[in-house]
Amino acid sequence: MRTETPPTVRLEDYRPSDHLIDRVELDVRLDPHDTRVTATLALRPNPAGRAGASLVLDGDNLTLLALELDGQALASDAVRADASGLTLHTPPPRPFTLRIETRLDPTANTRLMGLYRSGGVYCTQCEADGFRRITYFLDRPDVLSVYTTRIEAEREAAPVLLGNGNPVEAGTVPGTDRHYAVWHDPLPKPAYLFALVGGRLDRVAKSFTTMEGRAVEIAVYVEPGKADRAAYALDAVERSMAWDETAFGRAYDLDVFNVVAVSDFNMGAMENKGLNIFNDKYVLASPETATDADYAAIEAIIAHEYFHNWSGNRVTCRDWFQLCLKEGLTVFRDQEFSSDMRSRPVHRIAEVRNLRARQFPEDAGPLAHPVRPKQYAEINNFYTATVYEKGAEIVRMLRTLIGETAFRAGMDRYFADNDGTAATVEDFLAAFAAVTGRDLSRFAEWYERPGTPRVAVSGSYDAAARTYRLTFRQTRPGAGADAPPLVIPIDLGLVGADGPLDGARAERIENGVFVLETAEDAVTFENVAAEPVPSLFRAFSAPIRVESTLDAAARLTLLRHDPDSFNRWEAAQRIALGLMTAQVRSEPAAHAGADDFVAALGVFLDAEALRDPAFAAQVLALPSEGDLADEIGTEIDPDAIFRARRDLRRRLGTGLRARLLSLREALAEPAGTPFSPDAAAAGRRALRNAALDLIAAADPEAGTALAQAQIAQATNMTDRLAGLATLALLPGEAREAALSAFAERYAGEPLVLDKWFAIQAMIPEDGTVARIRRLQGHPAFAMTNPNRVRSLVGSFSLANPTQFNRADGTGYALVAETVLALDGTNPQVAARLMTAFGPWRRLEPGRRAAAETALRRIAATPGLSRDVTDIGTRSLAG
């Protein structure tokens, strides 16, 4: 493990590699403890590099067995090699071949980077810099090579052998119990997209014919005995392929596309060319084991990794500073796919909830960074919400700015101009500038500046002139006085007491969008008969914070009449935030308006609940404790926030009780109805379970009875888990009995037990820290499995604000202990756990001091990994 102080890598220091590798031939002889890798590299000097430069290959924890240059052994003084790298001091000034043999121990590789074993299955994870743990290499994304891989293993242990590209040969190794397979990927790729898999796996498959007439064999490989849970993932691959052809004109380019599910994986999935490797939680699904949220996540992540075939693989990133170029763009693409597969308004609300829960706090804390960072110490720590989610929002703004037709033309131009290359953000924007003739240099500022912009909005109505003027003023926290203003597209309209004011007109608004390009600007609407309510940033047209003077009455008008579903939901959220914030701050009018809010929600449910249950469920779901903390901003008291949200939930449950009970009855599925994960059925379940939550908040006794009955009668995991989650918030024997019964029922289902761990980790009670310590000793919990760690300790630190932020510091201590225990074996997971401390400076003084103590305890520990050192250093800086 690398424990040295991480060097700072800077974007401004980028220079092309001095050498290129045109072809890679790998011979991988798999063995649990003694895998041998022979890499034959066809190298040449890079004309864009430094003439006569030494060849410096990356390595990490490698054992070198043999090295040859053009078939000849090298003199000892011609090369320097150790576990962390190989330098050929004077390489030939012409094309040459290097043959390198290394030895690996996949079983001992607990970092889950490079080649490792998961449940007896050999697999790889090479992004960002894992290939250097397999062989010495130019392990950087701008070195693209054509790979041919021979994989050999014991047939009994690994009957399935998979690699990148297309299969070209397979056979038995004479005189042994071993067999081999050869795979060839004809398309150049960087080393981070290399993959292989070897193991005992079940397979489900189907054929797909591309729009170009290519027959593609799609297959999903899973743990033996679980093939029946791979059907939804297989269907999601097929739908993704068809959608990408229609939406972006992108066809698949190989003869096979394989997905493999493994149980030990640091991330969600990996887009290796033709061989996607997935965390099994994003592949395996059945009505008995997976919730509606699981099905939706499988669909989205399958799509995300497949879409990388073009936005990431065919066009990759020049360096890791351009990570947003593949990740932000591909998140946008998978969001569009999911919106088309499901409800676009509901999915947009979910996207914004996620952005505000993860990225806004990141942008406001010590780990803030631009979407395209200017420097990093450990690249693994920059797979963040800022790169992914905010990166996607920038792409969405670009589409809003130039229009859908021009956006599609720009995407076509980007793929055509950069196919087979390693591109930059500048290359991406140049494609859109070329097709529109627009100067996008100002828009590019979104990639360069950290922080969430604020836009203050004020309106004034002139009754005599029948005009309404909206004034916008943008600011950016932390931006210097000379920082240029951002280009912000504002999708907007006006709403009156009876509905949208379609007759109002304003100059400088195109297709409903006003573009704010200066620090302050205004737009005037004409033909406005009465004072309107502005509907601002429809569909959340820019990732900003809006500062508005709208009162609750105006927001209720938006809730009733705005044609934009997102802003209807946003109106309810803002009213709820206002009520809860007032209580936290002990303002005199803390409860004023609560009854009006309850009444308005009642009217909304009467009109909308059965017509669009999924949207109604979103409207009923109050802002989270994290949302409220983000609204308050400083001197945060998580206990006061918890009480305010609890009290408002009780008010809603009490005031809406009759309607909620009626809805639960109306939305119940008739006995014998087959389960479907489609959007309509999932929406009905979502509203029914939202009603259960509010009823239980207002009347724990009634909630307990309803939850128990729902668990007993449930025919799917969504309803069973919702009942258990409701009981988890209601202390008593019923809760503990339900938790025990659930654990017994699913004792052999690790992914379901993850849900059981998570529900208990999120119990907002004094005994939760002790409960987690007991659960860490549970037979199903393993610190070596990232899913188990995330479900228990990750859920606690990120989704239980009162107990993680306990005033006595025991929540921080628990997470700090876990970080330190993990760091020696899996520093990536340890570092990600540590990011939960991100908002610590915004807490009230007592908790702030306790969090700092925990952070400094971690930082002072000798021998920390680069991953954890980097997070600790940045968290404590300033």
Side-chain angles (χ1 to χ4, degrees):
M1 183 181 72
R2 296 175 295 177
T3 60
E4 73 276 9
T5 301
T8 298
V9 182
R10 293 180 173 83
L11 173 59
E12 65 183 10
D13 295 334
Y14 170 83
R15 59 178 176 80
S17 173
D18 294 319
H19 292 83
L20 299 175
I21 304 175
D22 293 323
R23 295 182 309 283
V24 179
E25 294 181 4
L26 291 173
D27 185 0
V28 184
R29 287 152 288 166
L30 295 171
D31 180 90
H33 298 286
D34 189 21
T35 289
R36 303 297 178 96
V37 178
T38 301
T40 303
L41 313 181
L43 295 113
R44 61 183 169 90
N46 184 359
R50 297 174 302 170
S54 297
L55 172 66
V56 180
L57 301 181
D58 301 299
D60 185 1
N61 199 34
L62 291 176
T63 299
L64 177 64
L65 299 179
L67 176 65
E68 293 179 352
L69 173 64
D70 290 336
Q72 301 296 316
L74 286 159
S76 59
D77 60 353
V79 64
R80 182 185 63 80
D82 58 27
S84 61
L86 185 154
T87 300
L88 183 59
H89 299 304
T90 310
R94 54 169 173 76
F96 60 97
T97 299
L98 207 60
R99 181 180 179 275
I100 307 167
E101 185 177 357
T102 54
R103 180 171 57 209
L104 315 175
D105 184 348
T107 303
N109 185 359
T110 61
R111 287 182 60 189
L112 312 185
M113 284 290 289
L115 175 65
Y116 65 96
R117 296 181 78 207
S118 170
V121 176
Y122 297 94
C123 62
T124 55
Q125 170 58 29
C126 292
E127 187 175 356
D129 53 10
F131 192 72
R132 67 188 64 186
R133 293 173 62 80
I134 296 173
T135 190
Y136 296 100
F137 205 77
L138 293 171
D139 195 2
R140 47 188 289 168
D142 60 348
V143 173
L144 279 62
S145 313
V146 172
Y147 284 70
T148 301
T149 306
R150 180 185 181 276
I151 311 165
E152 178 188 310
E154 290 185 7
R155 184 181 294 277
E156 178 65 23
V160 174
L161 299 174
L162 303 173
N164 300 107
N166 297 318
V168 295
E169 185 184 345
T172 299
V173 179
T176 73
D177 59 356
R178 298 172 70 81
H179 70 133
Y180 71 91
V182 179
W183 292 76
H184 176 69
D185 186 355
L187 298 163
K189 65 172 178 286
Y192 81 84
L193 292 173
F194 171 80
L196 69 77
V197 169
R200 184 169 293 282
L201 298 162
D202 284 352
R203 176 180 185 266
V204 295
K206 64 169 59 173
S207 182
F208 177 83
T209 301
T210 71
M211 64 184 186
E212 297 170 345
R214 179 191 293 271
V216 180
E217 184 79 354
I218 311 169
V220 178
Y221 292 84
V222 298
E223 181 182 329
K226 295 185 177 178
D228 60 331
R229 302 186 191 183
Y232 193 76
L234 184 65
D235 179 66
V237 173
E238 183 178 35
R239 286 185 286 121
S240 300
M241 286 182 160
W243 183 89
D244 209 18
E245 291 184 348
T246 301
F248 285 91
R250 300 298 107 192
Y252 189 60
D253 48 16
L254 293 171
D255 299 334
V256 298
F257 181 80
N258 292 318
V259 169
V260 179
V262 298
S263 58
D264 300 293
F265 205 72
N266 282 343
M267 299 184 183
M270 180 61 209
E271 70 268 19
N272 318 295
K273 183 68 178 180
L275 178 56
N276 288 187
I277 299 179
F278 274 66
N279 186 322
D280 60 0
K281 71 178 290 185
Y282 296 119
V283 170
L284 301 176
S286 70
E288 177 65 16
T289 61
T291 64
D292 290 327
D294 292 328
Y295 278 97
I298 289 169
E299 179 179 78
I301 296 172
I302 286 280
H304 181 94
E305 303 308 326
Y306 172 74
F307 296 153
H308 267 312
N309 187 60
W310 276 92
S311 50
N313 297 4
R314 289 284 289 264
V315 183
T316 193
C317 48
R318 185 195 71 178
D319 52 67
W320 291 120
F321 297 102
Q322 320 295 329
L323 183 59
C324 62
L325 184 60
K326 74 181 188 76
E327 295 300 348
L329 175 56
T330 306
V331 168
F332 168 79
R333 276 156 48 74
D334 82 54
Q335 289 174 346
E336 287 298 290
F337 168 78
S338 293
S339 294
D340 284 348
M341 295 298 107
R342 296 173 177 268
S343 162
R344 182 167 289 272
V346 170
H347 197 269
R348 185 60 180 148
I349 290 167
E351 291 163 10
V352 176
R353 279 191 187 276
N354 183 50
L355 183 80
R356 288 173 171 170
R358 298 176 62 234
Q359 198 280 321
F360 276 25
E362 185 172 272
D363 243 352
L367 301 180
H369 60 86
V371 172
R372 179 168 66 177
K374 290 181 170 54
Q375 63 183 45
Y376 63 79
E378 173 53 63
I379 187 56
N380 288 317
N381 290 335
F382 280 83
Y383 286 75
T384 62
T386 296
V387 166
Y388 281 65
E389 276 73 32
K390 189 173 180 180
E393 292 300 316
I394 294 175
V395 177
R396 188 177 302 279
M397 280 193 295
L398 179 61
R399 186 181 66 174
T400 301
L401 194 66
I402 67 176
E404 291 192 11
T405 301
F407 180 79
R408 170 60 192 272
M411 287 300 305
D412 289 346
R413 179 68 176 264
Y414 170 66
F415 288 131
D417 287 354
N418 298 283
D419 189 11
T421 71
T424 65
V425 167
E426 286 76 14
D427 295 324
F428 178 67
L429 293 178
F432 296 92
V435 300
T436 63
R438 299 180 71 140
D439 180 357
L440 294 173
S441 57
R442 291 271 313 285
F443 181 79
E445 283 287 314
W446 277 100
Y447 286 99
E448 309 301 332
R449 308 295 176 191
T452 306
R454 295 178 180 270
V455 177
V457 187
S458 59
S460 60
Y461 178 64
D462 185 331
R466 293 165 57 93
T467 61
Y468 183 72
R469 180 181 175 84
L470 277 173
T471 300
F472 302 91
R473 184 171 59 85
Q474 62 165 296
T475 56
R476 263 196 335 229
D482 59 345
L486 293 168
V487 176
I488 303 177
I490 305 172
D491 194 334
L492 77 169
L494 301 181
V495 178
D498 299 316
L501 301 180
D502 295 329
R505 293 289 181 267
E507 294 182 356
R508 300 172 58 207
I509 292 182
E510 270 188 60
N511 299 317
V513 176
F514 172 74
V515 181
L516 178 63
E517 300 183 78
T518 56
E520 184 171 330
D521 204 349
V523 60
T524 299
F525 290 84
E526 298 178 344
N527 193 34
V528 183
E531 184 167 4
V533 177
S535 172
L536 305 167
F537 294 94
R538 285 176 164 172
F540 200 64
S541 61
I544 55 91
R545 299 177 190 269
V546 182
E547 297 176 351
S548 169
T549 57
L550 292 184
D551 59 16
R555 297 190 190 282
L556 288 175
T557 296
L558 295 176
L559 175 61
R560 284 190 289 266
H561 298 304
D562 199 325
D564 182 71
S565 296
F566 175 85
N567 272 0
R568 296 185 71 196
W569 168 81
E570 178 78 333
Q573 293 286 293
R574 298 308 307 179
I575 293 170
L577 278 171
L579 292 169
M580 292 187 290
T581 300
Q583 179 174 332
V584 170
R585 292 173 173 163
S586 301
E587 295 174 357
H591 301 294
D595 290 341
D596 291 341
F597 182 47
V598 173
L601 288 179
V603 173
F604 166 81
L605 289 175
D606 292 342
E608 306 277 352
L610 296 180
R611 184 180 65 82
D612 192 347
F615 178 62
Q618 290 286 355
V619 172
L620 278 187
L622 292 177
S624 69
E625 291 167 57
D627 292 332
L628 186 49
D630 201 44
E631 180 76 7
I632 290 169
T634 59
E635 303 300 311
I636 294 168
D637 179 349
D639 291 339
I641 286 172
F642 172 80
R643 290 191 295 269
R645 190 173 186 276
R646 177 200 63 195
D647 292 351
L648 187 54
R649 287 173 62 241
R650 286 175 177 171
R651 274 181 173 268
L652 296 186
T654 300
L656 300 173
R657 180 187 174 101
R659 288 182 174 91
L660 297 174
L661 288 168
S662 176
L663 282 172
R664 279 185 56 79
E665 184 174 344
L667 294 166
E669 293 183 333
T673 302
F675 174 84
S676 172
D678 68 85
R684 291 191 293 272
R685 286 187 287 270
L687 182 53
R688 197 165 185 267
N689 290 323
L692 173 62
D693 173 71
L694 292 177
I695 292 167
D699 185 344
E701 185 176 346
T704 297
L706 284 172
Q708 288 176 314
Q710 178 161 309
I711 292 171
Q713 298 163 11
T715 60
N716 59 79
M717 178 54 68
T718 299
D719 288 339
R720 181 168 288 112
L721 196 70
L724 187 65
T726 296
L727 284 179
L729 298 178
L730 305 173
E733 293 181 4
R735 173 175 76 188
E736 302 308 322
L739 286 168
S740 296
F742 190 92
E744 183 176 353
R745 177 171 186 153
Y746 295 104
E749 298 286 352
L751 294 178
V752 179
L753 287 177
D754 283 344
K755 306 177 193 302
W756 180 76
F757 283 126
I759 279 178
Q760 294 179 82
M762 293 186 289
I763 294 174
E765 296 174 12
D766 285 347
T768 296
V769 170
R771 182 187 290 265
I772 290 173
R773 291 192 182 281
R774 290 195 302 273
L775 288 171
Q776 286 178 320
H778 191 278
F781 181 80
M783 286 283 280
T784 56
N785 183 277
N787 284 349
R788 305 299 92 80
V789 175
R790 285 187 288 255
S791 67
L792 186 61
V793 185
S795 296
F796 171 74
S797 62
L798 295 173
N800 194 343
T802 64
Q803 298 310 299
F804 173 58
N805 296 292
R806 287 181 59 85
D808 61 10
T810 55
Y812 303 136
L814 170 65
V815 174
E817 289 169 20
T818 308
V819 168
L820 292 173
L822 269 175
D823 190 43
T825 56
N826 194 329
Q828 275 193 39
V829 174
R832 284 184 174 84
L833 282 179
M834 199 175 172
T835 62
F837 287 94
W840 71 275
R841 291 188 187 277
R842 297 192 292 150
L843 295 165
E844 53 81 22
R847 288 177 171 84
R848 190 160 64 237
E852 183 176 7
T853 297
L855 282 169
R856 293 199 181 279
R857 173 191 172 191
I858 296 171
T861 302
L864 288 176
S865 68
R866 288 171 51 170
D867 308 63
V868 168
T869 297
D870 173 48
I871 295 294
T873 299
R874 289 193 284 140
S875 296
L876 290 167

